[in-house]
Amino acid sequence: MEKYKNFINNSWIDSESKETIKVEDPATAKFIGEISCAKKPEVDLAVSAAKESFNSRILVDMPLLDRAKLMHKIADETRKVSIEGGKLLCYENGKTLTAAIKEFNDVADMFDYYAGLTDKLEGKTIPVAHNVFDYTILEPFGVSAHVVPWNYPLSMIGRSLACSFATGNSTVIKTAELTPLSATIFAKAIKNAGVPKGLINIICGYGKEAGSYLVSHPDVNHVVFTGSVTTGKKILHSCADKAIPAIVELGGKSAGIVFPDADLNHVVDSAKGAIFGVAGQICTAMSRLVVHKSVKDELLDKLVDLSKSLKVGPGYEEGSELTPVISKNQLEKVEGYARSGIQEGAEALHGGKRIDRDGYFMEATVLNNVNQKMTVAREEIFGPVLSVLEYDDQDEAISIANDTDYGLGAGVFTKDLNKASWTASKLEAGQVYVNKWFTGSHATPFGGYKQSGYSREKGIEGLKSYLQVKNVGISLE
Ligand code: NAD
């Protein structure tokens, strides 16, 4: 079993405690590697490396075209390790090899995209008086701490780190304890790209220990958190205590509304990736479908056919479509949710149970006759469980879709684009997909309404969250 280490100040650091975190392949439940477990001393080391690099102004004062070139270099080096890193990600997370390699390439794309924006962070001049020259400059916060989840470990690092780096912050990333190994391959790319020491540090420790200590560290000036609502709220409390800004990207319970004129094949194609892909462990998973009663039976038949057709297997086996959930705990949680739905009156048209084989596989589950009172309609399941609810008129459909504490994603399926844009304006969600789930890219702003979080990641919009505005007034008298 290979042992991996924390990446601090461009060196590979063992933890003082010598403790390690063992990592499983969720397709077999066998250990595949371990990583030194970061605790307070390693968090202190990483934060102090980041602080020192920020205070040296090596990135802040770097000519902006040079910063952009360095970011393109990081992108190139990341592409070079995408197969090695993708394999490790596929083994530790369970997702397909294709998706895992793509995740590395997405990180590279993020760096290329934000590289092009490093010299476009323009301030403005403000008319005050004829004898005052007043202008704004956009400045980084300093040490930015990023805490990431296990479902898209590399993508989550990529989108926040590229923005943080482009704006001149020094960053400490804490990876998730279930999937920390592939990020060490990305750290190799950082080193190969020649990034000066201390600007990017990647550590892994337990959330309650290393994570909470990192976000409350006195030398951290800015926090980015992606994960559950429960942890997000704790982190917000901790940031409030220090009065520092936090970006929080949290969970979801996204609904797709299916109008009677929808092309049902679009709905089924979306379901394949958006609720059964990555075993449904997607923050913007299409976990609810709110379907007009006139097309519900036809759609249910197609969804059941899809669920039956999915090839179950580990992500590293050619052709696998339904891959494992991340852990035994997660499997028990997801199966428990499916069971609770059935006990509360839903009908499992397909699935509902774990699959009898090694590893943590859950059946692709389609629950019919779900209503808004049921737990499966309200809570984030984070597994391959699709809840189908019926509506009669469009106001009812919107009201069902919005009837949740979450507001991450939403969808509309219709051929009538007037109806689509009207519905999109009524939906309480940070992103709305019309006729195809996941239409976004690195350039589209991403984030939540309501308890799904605030601030935005990705796109030009994302830059705002990593910069503070300084106003300068010069008297010309
Ligand atoms: P989680 O909240 O349990 O953990 C996320 C990270 O926080 C991990 O690195 C963990 O170690 C750390 N952590 C845990 N407790 C902490 C604490 N007290 N202080 C500091 N750090 C702590 O979430 P998870 O189970 O890893 O991820 C799944 C959740 O993430 C789902 O709710 C999913 O919807 C959400 N998610 C959201 C987005 C988004 O962009 N909105 C993207 C991916 C995942």
Side-chain angles (χ1 to χ4, degrees), residues 147-152 156 159 174-177 205-208 210-213 215 225-232 234-235 249-252 282-284 330 380 382 408 446 452:
V147 177
V148 297
W150 47 261
N151 64 329
Y152 281 90
M156 300 302 100
R159 73 181 185 188
K174 193 208 79 69
T175 53
E177 44 275 58
Y206 291 105
K208 280 189 189 145
S212 63
Y213 182 57
V215 297
F225 173 73
T226 309
S228 63
V229 173
T230 312
T231 311
K234 285 185 196 155
I235 286 179
E249 300 288 355
L250 309 177
I282 308 169
C283 54
T284 39
Q330 190 67 14
E380 184 182 42
F382 228 49
L408 196 53
F446 183 94
S452 289

Side-chain angles (χ1 to χ4, degrees), residues 87 325 360 364 438 456:
K87 277 186 187 156
V325 299
Y360 310 125
F438 305 137
R456 290 294 176 269

